[in-house]
């Protein structure tokens, strides 16, 4: 614990942190791995967002300052996955300025299976979980720029407050689906949680080994089928694509998803998607609060202001 900090030291620290935030000084040092994708006419990047907010940089900087200096719980796990609204629009405006076409999961599937060639520059935009910030912020902006997106929802959480999220009700999900702007797909029915087996908690659908209990497999299969039934009943549409919570499944859980009727599985493994790549491992670039505009441009492979 720091017993004494001079006023002058605090002023200097505040100035440095605020300057860093305002100038985005961490543009190329915001994660421990390199998300850069080589420019390619063949590969298509898929962007994975979670939540949006309308905080300005000063408010965000103040919360970061309180967390670092005063050890206050002002930044949460949700904050780490949240993109500021003006940053999101800047990214969409960049794509629009450079003539990018946003594609659906069905179009991505046709491209990856070699059934359809994509001309020009293409990108897919996705969102996980279903927080109302997608409906409130992302949906209007996608309409503004004539773009499309895909939202993966945990069907058991629809219309509920869950894990500090306010999940959109079916009415809002139906509006987005019927607009043709945002397709609604599965993020499981109720498997966005972890269990502890041994010392390390892991997602409930992560299974391995040849002798796994069949009842465990049945529970996973039934959950996935239930998510498809729920989407069909409430939205009148089927669901052909699944995004595993936490980003990854296993060979066994992927095979159960295929048996449940899913044609494509999305991960959070970074990289572009090419013809001939397996639909069971669609790659996505995570876009988070740490994703600078410089990094965003590297991910999609364009240069714009």
């Amino acid at each position: 614990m720091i017993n004494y900090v001079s006023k002058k030291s605090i002023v200097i620290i505040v100035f440095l942190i605020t300057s860093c935030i305002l100038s985005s000084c961490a543009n190329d040092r915001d994660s421990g791995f390199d998300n850069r994708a080589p420019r390619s006419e063949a590969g298509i990047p898929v962007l994975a967002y979670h939540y949006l907010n309308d905080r300005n940089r000063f408010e965000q900087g103040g919360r970061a300052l309180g967390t670092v200096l005063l050890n206050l719980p002002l930044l949460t796990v949700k904050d780490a996955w949240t993109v500021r609204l003006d940053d999101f629009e800047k990214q969409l405006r960049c794509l629009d300025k450079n003539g990018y076409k946003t594609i659906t999961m069905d179009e991505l599937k046709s491209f990856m299976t070699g059934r359809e060639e994509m001309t020009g520059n293409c990108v897919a935009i996705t969102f996980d979980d279903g927080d109302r910030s997608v409906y409130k912020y992302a949906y209007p902006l996608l309409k503004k720029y004539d773009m499309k997106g895909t939202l993966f929802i945990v069907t058991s959480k629809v219309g509920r407050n869950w894990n500090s999220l306010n999940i959109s009700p079916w009415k809002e999900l139906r509006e987005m689906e019927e607009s043709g702007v945002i397709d609604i797909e599965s993020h499981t029915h109720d498997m966005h949680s972890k269990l502890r087996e041994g010392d390390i908690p892991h997602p409930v659908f992560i299974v391995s080994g040849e002798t796994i209990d069949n009842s465990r497999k049945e529970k996973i299969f039934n959950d996935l089928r239930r998510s498809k039934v729920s989407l069909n009943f409430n939205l009148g549409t089927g669901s052909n694509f699944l995004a595993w919570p936490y980003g990854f499944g296993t060979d066994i859980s992927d095979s159960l998803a295929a048996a449940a009727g899913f044609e494509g599985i999305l991960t959070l493994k970074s990289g572009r998607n090419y013809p001939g790549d397996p639909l069971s491992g669609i790659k996505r670039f995570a876009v988070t609060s740490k994703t600078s505009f410089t990094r965003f441009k590297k991910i999609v492979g364009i240069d714009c202001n």
Side-chain angles (χ1 to χ4, degrees):
M1 178 181 293
I2 299 175
N3 294 321
Y4 173 79
V5 179
S6 69
K7 291 183 179 180
K8 183 177 180 180
S9 298
I10 292 177
V11 169
I12 293 173
I13 293 172
V14 170
F15 174 78
L16 291 175
I17 292 179
T18 303
S19 298
C20 180
I21 292 169
L22 293 178
S23 63
S24 298
C25 65
N27 275 354
D28 297 306
R29 294 178 293 132
D30 47 19
S31 75
F33 58 90
D34 189 357
N35 256 349
R36 288 178 295 178
R39 187 74 173 92
S40 173
E41 295 299 327
I44 294 180
V46 180
L47 308 177
Y49 295 87
H50 282 72
Y51 327 118
L52 302 174
N53 68 34
D54 59 356
R55 292 178 191 153
N56 59 43
R57 292 189 187 279
F58 291 101
E59 180 183 355
Q60 192 76 12
R63 293 168 71 91
L65 187 64
T67 300
V68 173
L69 291 183
L70 304 178
N71 198 30
L72 297 175
L74 299 180
L75 291 179
T76 65
V77 173
K78 179 183 178 182
D79 289 318
W81 290 95
T82 299
V83 175
R84 291 191 315 108
L85 179 59
D86 57 349
D87 287 337
F88 180 66
E89 182 165 16
K90 185 177 182 180
Q91 293 164 2
L92 295 188
R93 190 164 56 244
C94 177
L95 295 173
D96 181 63
K97 178 180 178 181
N98 286 268
Y100 265 65
K101 173 187 176 183
T102 52
I103 64 173
T104 65
M105 291 298 100
D106 282 329
E107 290 173 319
L108 179 65
K109 173 190 170 185
S110 294
F111 170 77
M112 292 177 66
T113 56
R115 298 176 188 170
E116 182 179 354
E117 292 185 4
M118 294 293 173
T119 59
N121 297 314
C122 298
V123 63
I125 297 175
T126 68
F127 306 87
D128 285 3
D129 298 342
D131 182 68
R132 286 199 73 239
S133 62
V134 174
Y135 175 80
K136 184 177 180 180
Y137 300 123
Y139 175 46
L141 283 176
L142 289 174
K143 286 195 291 186
K144 175 181 177 179
Y145 290 97
D146 193 23
M147 294 182 177
K148 297 179 180 180
T150 303
L151 172 61
F152 295 89
I153 65 166
V154 184
T155 50
S156 68
K157 310 302 183 186
V158 171
R160 295 173 53 185
N161 291 321
W162 164 65
N163 279 0
S164 77
L165 304 177
N166 182 9
I167 306 300
S168 281
W170 287 112
K171 179 181 178 181
E172 293 176 356
L173 297 173
R174 191 175 303 112
E175 178 186 340
M176 290 189 284
E177 177 71 41
E178 292 177 350
S179 72
V181 175
I182 295 183
D183 292 330
I184 312 298
E185 298 285 352
S186 176
H187 205 34
T188 76
H189 176 68
D190 195 19
M191 290 197 292
H192 204 308
S193 60
K194 295 183 178 182
L195 57 80
R196 182 179 293 276
E197 288 181 343
D199 295 329
I200 303 176
H202 60 81
V204 296
F205 52 83
I206 295 295
V207 292
S208 60
E210 298 296 329
T211 59
I212 182 172
D213 188 348
N214 285 332
S215 65
R216 176 93 170 269
K217 291 183 181 179
E218 185 176 359
K219 288 180 180 178
I220 296 171
F221 175 82
N222 288 341
D223 179 280
L224 296 174
R225 287 295 301 172
R226 189 172 180 183
S227 73
K228 288 175 69 72
V229 170
S230 181
L231 288 167
N232 184 55
F233 177 80
N234 289 285
L235 302 179
T237 61
S239 176
N240 296 321
F241 297 91
L242 167 72
W244 284 121
Y246 313 107
F248 303 94
T250 63
D251 289 342
I252 293 176
S253 53
D254 285 350
S255 67
L256 292 171
F262 289 103
E263 300 172 0
I265 299 174
L266 288 86
T267 72
L268 285 176
K269 179 180 180 180
S270 297
R272 292 191 169 209
N273 298 283
Y274 296 86
D277 284 352
L279 292 175
S280 60
I282 297 173
K283 303 179 185 69
R284 294 190 293 172
F285 291 101
V287 184
T288 72
S289 63
K290 292 185 177 182
T291 305
S292 67
F293 191 49
T294 297
R295 180 174 294 281
F296 177 83
K297 291 188 291 185
K298 290 177 181 178
I299 289 172
V300 295
I302 57 181
D303 185 17
C304 54
N305 297 317

